[in-house]
Amino acid sequence: MAVSSSLSSTSRSGSTLDVAGIVSQLMEVANQPITKLDSKISKSTVKISSLGMIKSQLSTLQSALTDLQTPANFTAMSAKFSADGVATATVSSSAVAGSYQMEVTQLARASIVNVSGFTTSEAALAWYTAASTDLTDVADGTVLMRDADNYVLSLKAKATGEDAGFAVDLSDFTDDKSRVVDPLSITEFTAQAAKDANFTLNGVTFTRSSNTVTDALTGVSLSLSTINADPITLTVVKAASAARPKLEAFVKAYNDLNTLYNEQTAASIDASTRGALNSDFAVGSIMRQLVSGLMQPLADSTGTYLTETDLTDTDLSDLGLEYLSAGDLAVNDTLLAAATTLDTRLAAGIRIGLDSAGGNDLTEQITAMLASGGVLQDRIESEQKVQTDLSSRKTSLQDKLVSIRARYTAQYAALDALLFKLTSTSDSLKSALDGLTASQKNN
């Protein structure tokens, strides 16, 4: 405890104690529990962040697994024309493979009727909405300015095809509506007659009201673009295999998770290089469960384990995948080339990591891990509770330290005042004694 004649912000003139310095040193000791709590809170924050990264990467792996186990991803069909520009096609999985000779002889068109003789745009629009034929229901109207005093109302049918065609009968323009414009000044002209689309497939003729045809071929939607003088060929075939990109996405998702796991659980005597989740049982159990699942035989969509011709169970190698000694997965070109039934299997549906006891595959097991009450979500919530408790303890200690600082300040300020009084009394006594001694010497 330092005793000083120097002044401080809490010491008065003549003080003998550095009250502020003494209190500051005492508070450094009192603050040590807060410092330790701050360290624990910081570590907890890092753990929560690490667990969040594991959760995110686990979700990515689940998505990749789901893609591999979705049959629709491997039953795609495609359409190709022998010549461009005549038509385009979109194909669904219900399409049937085949080759068709196609010829487009007529495209569907919408009626276009132009009404002329209007002196203003407003007059043309008023006529459009007032006509007794109720044109607004069947046609869209656009006003075109031919010159300063000559406006044309261009009417186009809302749909293509003969059934959607319309005509304008100027005799329908009644006396009531003649107030809008002089009926004798307007004329109508049919610029384009309504037409249906006509085309053939393998010599069979089709007539449709639209150039978009969805009911001629099962699972194939045709969009007619132009008339062709010579027939073209439309070929519907099974699309190129989507297996490899899906497998590569799965491999990447798993390897990224494995790399993240190794980083976050790294063991080291040096705290600065030790993983934030080192010795974390929950995270370790998740990875063990995933590895165990990947070692399980493949199953079909009904949950029956798949077998080869020699009656041995299938595994990841039958998907063209290899489990490396370092713990990562890889697409093995040799294994993939040998997996001649891979597309068929994926199109029929597979389940990876099926637990025969619980009946859940890896995607379902990951769902359980991530859900409330699951091993990973519980671990995150547990760590969040630890952090909340630590923060609460820190707040409580901070409140106590405010009182402790006030008590220390009051105590040492009082001691300083007492020492000041004693010093003053000592100085007075010394002065009196010195005076008495001097008086005696003079006598």
Side-chain angles (χ1 to χ4, degrees):
M1 185 180 297
V3 178
S4 171
S5 59
S6 63
L7 300 178
S8 71
S9 59
T10 57
S11 302
R12 60 181 181 173
S13 179
S15 296
T16 58
L17 295 179
D18 180 6
V19 176
I22 294 170
V23 171
S24 177
Q25 293 180 44
L26 290 171
M27 291 309 297
E28 285 183 11
V29 177
N31 269 305
Q32 288 181 1
I34 293 286
T35 302
K36 291 180 179 179
L37 284 174
D38 281 337
S39 177
K40 290 180 179 180
I41 291 172
S42 178
K43 289 179 181 179
S44 179
T45 299
V46 172
K47 283 186 179 181
I48 292 172
S49 176
S50 297
L51 288 167
M53 289 190 290
I54 293 288
K55 181 178 181 180
S56 176
Q57 194 56 50
L58 198 57
S59 295
T60 301
L61 175 62
Q62 184 185 40
S63 297
L65 274 167
T66 300
D67 276 352
L68 268 179
Q69 297 179 169
T70 302
N73 290 336
F74 308 97
T75 56
M77 304 289 286
S78 67
K80 183 179 180 180
F81 292 92
S82 59
D84 296 331
V86 176
T88 59
T90 56
V91 186
S92 70
S93 59
S94 62
V96 178
S99 179
Y100 310 90
Q101 182 173 290
M102 180 176 178
E103 185 176 0
V104 180
T105 57
Q106 180 172 285
L107 294 176
R109 291 183 176 181
S111 291
I112 298 178
V113 177
N114 295 325
V115 182
S116 306
F118 300 101
T119 57
T120 66
S121 174
E122 291 76 14
L125 289 174
W127 187 92
Y128 172 54
T129 56
S132 60
T133 51
D134 204 6
L135 289 175
T136 55
D137 286 344
V138 299
D140 295 318
T142 304
V143 178
L144 306 174
M145 185 178 74
R146 182 171 287 167
D147 53 52
D149 297 316
N150 192 349
Y151 289 81
V152 177
L153 175 65
S154 185
L155 303 168
K156 184 176 181 180
K158 293 180 181 290
T160 58
E162 294 180 4
D163 289 344
F166 72 95
V168 175
D169 187 354
L170 295 180
S171 66
D172 286 342
F173 201 74
T174 64
D175 289 341
D176 251 0
K177 292 165 186 171
S178 66
R179 297 183 189 133
V180 175
V181 66
D182 181 1
L184 298 178
S185 69
I186 61 174
T187 59
E188 62 86 15
F189 170 72
T190 300
Q192 178 173 285
K195 290 183 179 181
D196 288 331
N198 294 324
F199 64 98
T200 64
L201 289 173
N202 285 352
V204 178
T205 301
F206 293 83
T207 299
R208 297 292 186 269
S209 62
S210 171
N211 291 316
T212 300
V213 182
T214 60
D215 57 356
L217 289 173
T218 301
V220 180
S221 177
L222 297 171
S223 294
L224 309 180
S225 302
T226 188
I227 296 171
N228 59 312
D230 298 315
I232 62 172
T233 302
L234 164 63
T235 306
V236 179
V237 296
K238 188 177 182 303
S241 174
R244 186 175 190 111
K246 298 294 183 186
L247 289 169
E248 289 175 342
F250 167 59
V251 166
K252 182 179 185 306
Y254 178 80
N255 290 347
D256 286 348
L257 176 61
N258 190 47
T259 298
L260 179 62
Y261 169 76
N262 289 332
E263 290 173 351
Q264 297 299 323
T265 60
S268 174
I269 58 174
D270 183 358
S272 64
T273 59
R274 189 183 308 131
L277 302 177
N278 176 250
S279 301
D280 192 296
F281 177 79
V283 175
S285 68
I286 288 172
M287 288 305 297
R288 287 190 293 273
Q289 187 173 346
L290 291 177
V291 172
S292 176
L294 294 176
M295 296 298 103
Q296 293 294 320
L298 300 177
D300 63 20
S301 59
T302 67
T304 302
Y305 288 124
L306 297 169
T307 57
E308 296 293 357
T309 54
D310 59 359
L311 300 182
T312 58
D313 291 333
T314 58
D315 55 25
L316 289 182
S317 64
D318 295 282
L319 297 180
L321 301 180
E322 180 183 10
Y323 199 77
L324 305 177
S325 58
D328 283 347
L329 290 175
V331 176
N332 184 301
D333 290 333
T334 302
L335 292 175
L336 188 60
T340 55
T341 61
L342 177 58
D343 284 351
T344 302
R345 278 181 170 163
L346 293 175
I350 63 169
R351 300 179 73 182
I352 298 174
L354 182 67
D355 177 10
S356 58
N360 296 326
D361 57 36
L362 271 185
T363 57
E364 294 164 335
Q365 293 171 36
I366 293 174
T367 296
M369 295 173 188
L370 299 175
S372 179
V375 59
L376 182 56
Q377 188 58 35
D378 268 5
R379 180 67 187 86
I380 292 173
E381 291 174 0
S382 173
E383 195 59 44
Q384 288 172 335
K385 184 177 183 302
V386 167
Q387 189 176 71
T388 299
D389 291 343
L390 289 172
S391 297
S392 178
R393 287 171 57 190
K394 177 182 175 180
T395 300
S396 179
L397 277 175
Q398 286 174 327
D399 290 341
K400 290 180 180 179
L401 288 177
V402 171
S403 299
I404 291 173
R405 176 180 284 277
R407 186 173 74 247
Y408 282 159
T409 301
Q411 287 175 343
Y412 284 95
L415 178 59
D416 183 45
L418 177 59
L419 290 174
F420 178 75
K421 289 179 181 180
L422 291 175
T423 300
S424 297
T425 301
S426 175
D427 291 342
S428 297
L429 288 173
K430 183 177 182 299
S431 178
L433 289 173
D434 288 345
L436 178 61
T437 302
S439 174
Q440 290 175 347
K441 286 181 178 178
N442 292 333
N443 293 332

